[in-house]
Amino acid sequence: MMLPLETMAFQQNASADYNEYSGEVKEASSNKSLVFATLTVEGTNISTITNTEGNFLLKVPKDLTDKNVVVSFLGYKTKMVPISSLQPEKNEISLEVSVTQLSEININAPKDALALVRETLKNRDDNYFKDPSLMTAFYRETIKRRRRNVSLAEAVVNIYKTPYDIGRDDAVELYKARKSTDYSKLDTVALKLQGGPYNTLYVDLMKYPEYIFSEETLPNYKFAFDRSTTTNDRLIYVIRFDQRENVLEPLYSGELYIDVENKVLTGAIFSLNITDEDLAADLFVRRKPAKVDVWPTEVSYRVDYREKDGKWYYGYSSVFMEFKVDWEDKWFNSQYSMTAEMAITDWESVSKTERPKYRQRIRKSIILSDEASGFSDPDFWGEYNIIEPEKSIESAIRKIQRQLRRAERNSD
């Protein structure tokens, strides 16, 4: 069974009740940027994540500025940074590598990688949240032609996350969104991502294991211990998985990060086998012109979980897809990439009766870039935490805002 990926409320206060901090998380010894490091306000559910350049943007309510920011990253020592020590901009937070000594490894650790995966899946109901939760999340999707942004859509969404021991799907409600698309750079083929936030939500392996590791598909994979690392001072085993050579159906390969002591999946990075171009195209391309071939050349995923009070919950996920577009009457093909990512920035436990009504939920077939609008307001997101834009996205946003201001002046 494939991940169901498709292609092709609140009120802001008049005065800011929060402080904003930005900066970069780096490795102490090499000074390299740490991508997807997690920053959480101590004792709260407020969090954000560094972008692919290691940069972060964190908004903290003013009544919480006496707390610490907990900065964590797989394989590094967790760091507590007093919020009072942070400047509004250009903060640099360095993390030290956490070295795992062989003597620290439990000699009773599991020897069978598949058995550890099965036990982790089996323990899901005990290790992950049992109560329904209302999560606030920031979602961004971009489409690039080679390295140039041609479409950008962002949203704050409310996710009604059902307990992990219940088979019921999560529900998503759109709170606020904005988008811009320059169709002149799309070769007359308007690539669109269908499904919006659901694309990232279904990457939650522990909520939706049936899409990758069902009882029927588990025997189709090879599992092997790769290495060990740490996160938040916990021993993490990295398990490599690949589909067996005799299995023809396109499956996944990648790495699982499992807390050995508690049998908890803390994260995963994996990709889909798309060596068969025709089959891959059938899986992801819903509609295209007759004289053009479109097929994916890469489809990869990432999911990270966070822990609070001994229970784990979905924290971040991303999807990356790269496509080739080949016109029958053109010598050269075009290359496009799509990225969708979502980070949980806050959450609270709620009663089962607070699940949004059907008409309030966004459709699983939504094309966010068709429905959103905006980019004229520089303070559009207000107090909501977002993933810090990469430099190329920041440049695109500034260009969009300049174009909008020019259009407004011309209309006056």
Side-chain angles (χ1 to χ4, degrees):
M1 184 183 293
M2 292 291 103
L3 275 162
L5 181 66
E6 302 284 352
T7 57
M8 311 274 302
F10 298 92
Q11 189 172 16
Q12 184 181 345
N13 295 328
S15 59
D17 292 328
Y18 60 91
N19 290 338
E20 187 171 301
Y21 308 95
S22 63
E24 187 174 3
V25 178
K26 295 184 174 183
E27 179 185 296
S29 58
S30 68
N31 214 34
K32 74 173 183 179
S33 300
L34 295 180
V35 177
F36 306 134
T38 298
L39 298 93
T40 304
V41 178
E42 184 184 22
T44 75
N45 301 324
I46 300 171
S47 60
T48 190
I49 195 166
T50 59
N51 65 13
T52 56
E53 295 165 339
N55 298 317
F56 69 87
L57 178 65
L58 179 65
K59 299 173 184 177
V60 182
K62 288 182 176 178
D63 59 354
L64 297 177
T65 52
D66 60 337
K67 293 183 175 295
N68 298 316
V69 173
V70 183
V71 187
S72 60
F73 188 77
L74 184 68
Y76 291 77
K77 295 179 181 178
T78 299
K79 190 169 189 176
M80 307 280 280
V81 180
I83 295 175
S84 59
S85 70
L86 295 176
Q87 303 298 316
E89 297 178 333
K90 298 182 179 179
N91 294 283
E92 189 171 300
I93 301 173
S94 299
L95 300 184
E96 296 181 356
V97 175
S98 178
V99 179
T100 304
Q101 302 295 332
L102 290 177
S103 59
E104 297 176 9
I105 299 176
N106 188 341
I107 61 172
N108 295 319
K111 303 296 189 297
D112 185 334
L114 174 57
L116 179 57
V117 172
R118 286 186 180 277
E119 191 171 358
T120 300
L121 293 171
K122 180 182 176 182
N123 291 346
R124 178 189 70 169
D125 298 351
D126 294 327
N127 288 329
Y128 295 81
F129 272 32
K130 293 186 176 182
D131 298 323
S133 302
L134 181 62
M135 294 182 161
T136 302
F138 177 73
Y139 172 78
R140 176 186 288 130
E141 62 183 47
T142 60
I143 300 177
K144 294 182 179 181
R145 182 184 178 191
R146 300 199 182 277
R147 295 183 179 181
R148 179 175 293 182
N149 284 296
V150 295
S151 180
L152 173 63
E154 301 176 325
V156 169
V157 296
N158 299 321
I159 304 170
Y160 182 87
K161 197 87 168 113
T162 57
Y164 280 76
D165 58 354
I166 293 178
R168 198 173 185 184
D169 278 6
D170 303 322
V172 180
E173 183 180 10
L174 184 65
Y175 163 58
K176 198 174 188 181
R178 65 181 187 177
K179 68 96 181 184
S180 178
T181 301
D182 187 350
Y183 287 111
S184 66
K185 298 185 178 70
L186 281 171
D187 267 354
T188 71
V189 176
L191 267 71
K192 299 179 181 181
L193 182 64
Q194 185 173 343
Y198 285 103
N199 289 314
T200 47
L201 196 56
Y202 285 131
V203 185
D204 182 352
L205 289 184
M206 297 308 294
K207 176 64 179 177
Y208 304 100
E210 65 272 16
Y211 292 127
I212 299 180
F213 295 138
S214 67
E215 276 299 321
E216 292 74 20
T217 59
L218 269 176
N220 294 332
Y221 289 99
K222 298 180 295 184
F223 295 89
F225 292 110
D226 192 330
R227 61 192 185 279
S228 64
T229 183
T230 60
T231 185
N232 295 332
D233 302 319
R234 299 172 184 266
L235 180 63
I236 304 295
Y237 271 15
V238 182
I239 294 182
R240 176 77 196 178
F241 65 96
D242 295 278
Q243 73 178 80
R244 296 186 180 279
E245 291 80 357
N246 61 336
V247 177
L248 301 180
E249 176 189 358
L251 297 178
Y252 301 90
S253 64
E255 294 179 338
L256 305 175
Y257 300 88
I258 296 180
D259 178 331
V260 179
E261 181 179 356
N262 300 296
K263 310 299 185 293
V264 173
L265 181 72
T266 65
I269 299 174
F270 55 102
S271 59
L272 179 64
N273 175 6
I274 51 171
T275 52
D276 187 323
E277 290 181 1
D278 293 333
L279 183 55
D282 290 341
L283 287 172
F284 292 102
V285 181
R286 291 291 175 263
R287 188 170 63 249
K288 66 177 182 65
K291 293 185 177 182
V292 64
D293 289 324
V294 183
W295 69 94
T297 56
E298 181 181 347
V299 181
S300 56
Y301 309 85
R302 180 190 183 101
V303 61
D304 292 314
Y305 297 91
R306 299 172 188 160
E307 183 265 344
K308 185 177 182 184
D309 299 331
K311 297 292 183 181
W312 292 76
Y313 65 97
Y314 163 75
Y316 171 84
S317 62
S318 64
V319 180
F320 174 80
M321 294 182 291
E322 193 171 71
F323 286 88
K324 284 285 182 65
V325 178
D326 187 14
W327 286 90
E328 185 178 295
D329 54 354
K330 291 185 179 181
W331 284 15
F332 303 102
N333 56 33
S334 298
Q335 181 175 300
Y336 293 88
S337 61
M338 291 181 171
T339 302
E341 60 179 339
M342 185 160 65
I344 303 303
T345 57
D346 203 355
W347 59 269
E348 62 179 335
S349 295
V350 296
S351 68
K352 296 179 181 179
T353 58
E354 294 185 45
R355 184 178 176 88
K357 294 181 174 57
Y358 186 79
R359 65 177 178 275
Q360 297 174 308
R361 306 176 210 167
I362 61 174
R363 306 182 314 277
K364 294 181 180 179
S365 59
I366 186 175
I367 298 176
L368 186 63
S369 60
D370 282 352
E371 303 205 7
S373 62
F375 279 103
S376 59
D377 180 5
D379 300 316
F380 186 80
W381 297 119
E383 63 187 309
Y384 292 95
N385 273 297
I386 67 171
I387 302 171
E388 173 80 339
E390 300 164 12
K391 289 181 175 61
S392 64
I393 294 177
E394 280 185 327
S395 176
I397 290 174
R398 286 195 295 270
K399 182 178 179 181
I400 292 164
Q401 290 173 339
R402 287 197 300 269
Q403 291 172 339
L404 289 169
R405 285 195 294 270
R406 192 179 303 121
E408 289 172 358
R409 286 196 300 269
N410 293 337
S411 64
D412 290 340

